[in-house]
Amino acid sequence: MKSYKHILFDLDGTLTDPAEGITKCIAYALESKGIHTADLNSLKPLIGPPLKDSFIHTFGFEESEAIACVEKYRERFSTIGLYENILFDRIPELLALLKTKGYSIYLATSKPEIFAHKILQHFAINTYFDFAGGSALDDSRPTKTSVIQYVMEQAKLTSPQDCLMIGDRKHDLIGARETGMDAVGVLYGYGSQAELEQEDPTYLLATVTDLMEFFRY
């Protein structure tokens, strides 16, 4: 393993399992368009990527319709769906290990930053993070690349070779590559092995325990 100083984490599918809240909120938004979801599991592939893009590419919505669906999604998510979420096993232990090893830790999520902060606080892991960045409610940071760039700017991370992005979807790996940093693809989230391998991550790990062993030495 190369020497890194700064670790950037994705949130959904990497630190937390948000399946219940996200799928219920997507279904709620789709109902407003007359689309009924019989099986919430069918919506799990939408966990991770920017929601507006998912509404456009998966359901064929025009951009204005997709934006309206995102607003409907947030209507439920901001009060209920936010907390229909669980931490993956050993995540607090992993974050504590990283701090003990002297790493700085950052969040780079496609979830709106205001919601991301509430989730970190809800699980009492916010104190591990030197900075937590996410997308903007006004869609000014629409891609994972733009979110990572924002985190780097806010945290004054000027050397991408010192940074390592950890995420479970191809968007995390693409964002890392486009900002010049290495990446870990994790297989316990919502991206398949084929999806992650196609983006040629620097490292590919199966479990949170594997992540801990990766950083332990």
Side-chain angles (χ1 to χ4, degrees), residues 1 6 12 16 24 47 61 64 83-84 91 99-100 102 107-108 114 116 161 180 190 193 196-197 199 207 212 215:
M1 174 178 124
H6 314 294
D12 294 338
T16 71
K24 285 182 176 178
I47 296 173
F61 292 163
S64 59
Y83 305 111
E84 295 171 326
I91 287 298
K99 280 301 182 185
T100 300
L107 189 74
I114 187 172
Q161 67 269 19
Y190 287 92
Q193 185 166 343
L196 297 179
E197 286 181 341
E199 301 303 331
T207 67
M212 293 188 67
F215 286 111

Side-chain angles (χ1 to χ4, degrees), residues 70-138:
V70 169
E71 289 303 313
K72 200 69 179 174
Y73 169 95
R74 290 174 180 166
E75 182 178 286
R76 185 183 186 279
F77 187 84
S78 62
T79 56
I80 301 172
L82 188 68
Y83 305 111
E84 295 171 326
N85 196 353
I86 58 174
L87 273 182
F88 285 115
D89 288 344
R90 305 193 77 185
I91 287 298
E93 192 179 350
L94 169 63
L95 297 174
L97 171 67
L98 290 172
K99 280 301 182 185
T100 300
K101 292 287 188 178
Y103 294 101
S104 55
I105 304 176
Y106 304 91
L107 189 74
T109 174
S110 292
K111 187 179 294 303
E113 190 169 311
I114 187 172
F115 298 149
H117 282 206
K118 289 181 179 180
I119 290 169
L120 295 183
Q121 290 166 5
H122 174 69
F123 289 118
I125 58 173
N126 53 303
T127 56
Y128 290 110
F129 289 85
D130 295 84
F131 179 77
S135 65
L137 291 173
D138 64 2

Side-chain angles (χ1 to χ4, degrees), residues 42-217:
S42 68
L43 300 177
K44 284 185 176 180
L46 307 186
I47 296 173
L51 269 177
K52 187 183 80 170
D53 293 349
S54 293
F55 284 130
I56 291 171
H57 298 307
T58 303
F59 299 98
F61 292 163
E62 298 293 332
E63 184 169 10
S64 59
E65 293 178 299
I67 290 171
C69 273
V70 169
E71 289 303 313
K72 200 69 179 174
Y73 169 95
R74 290 174 180 166
E75 182 178 286
R76 185 183 186 279
F77 187 84
S78 62
T79 56
I80 301 172
L82 188 68
Y83 305 111
E84 295 171 326
N85 196 353
I86 58 174
L87 273 182
F88 285 115
D89 288 344
R90 305 193 77 185
I91 287 298
E93 192 179 350
L94 169 63
L95 297 174
L97 171 67
L98 290 172
K99 280 301 182 185
T100 300
K101 292 287 188 178
Y103 294 101
S104 55
I105 304 176
Y106 304 91
L107 189 74
T109 174
S110 292
K111 187 179 294 303
E113 190 169 311
I114 187 172
F115 298 149
H117 282 206
K118 289 181 179 180
I119 290 169
L120 295 183
Q121 290 166 5
H122 174 69
F123 289 118
I125 58 173
N126 53 303
T127 56
Y128 290 110
F129 289 85
D130 295 84
F131 179 77
S135 65
L137 291 173
D138 64 2
D139 202 31
S140 59
R141 294 189 290 275
T143 65
K144 181 51 74 82
T145 299
S146 61
V147 169
I148 294 174
Q149 288 171 334
Y150 163 72
V151 171
M152 293 178 71
E153 290 166 3
Q154 294 298 308
K156 297 180 171 55
L157 305 180
T158 56
S159 300
Q161 67 269 19
D162 292 333
C163 302
L164 182 67
M165 178 71 203
I166 301 175
D168 69 308
R169 299 301 306 268
K170 66 179 182 180
H171 310 79
D172 303 306
L173 307 183
I174 292 169
R177 183 171 64 245
E178 291 182 345
T179 51
M181 66 179 68
D182 288 350
V184 177
V186 294
L187 294 170
Y188 57 82
Y190 287 92
S192 68
Q193 185 166 343
E195 174 185 321
L196 297 179
E197 286 181 341
Q198 187 170 357
E199 301 303 331
D200 194 25
T202 319
Y203 313 96
L204 190 64
L205 299 174
T207 67
V208 177
T209 299
D210 290 338
L211 271 175
M212 293 188 67
E213 291 304 312
F214 179 81
F215 286 111
R216 195 178 298 280
Y217 302 106

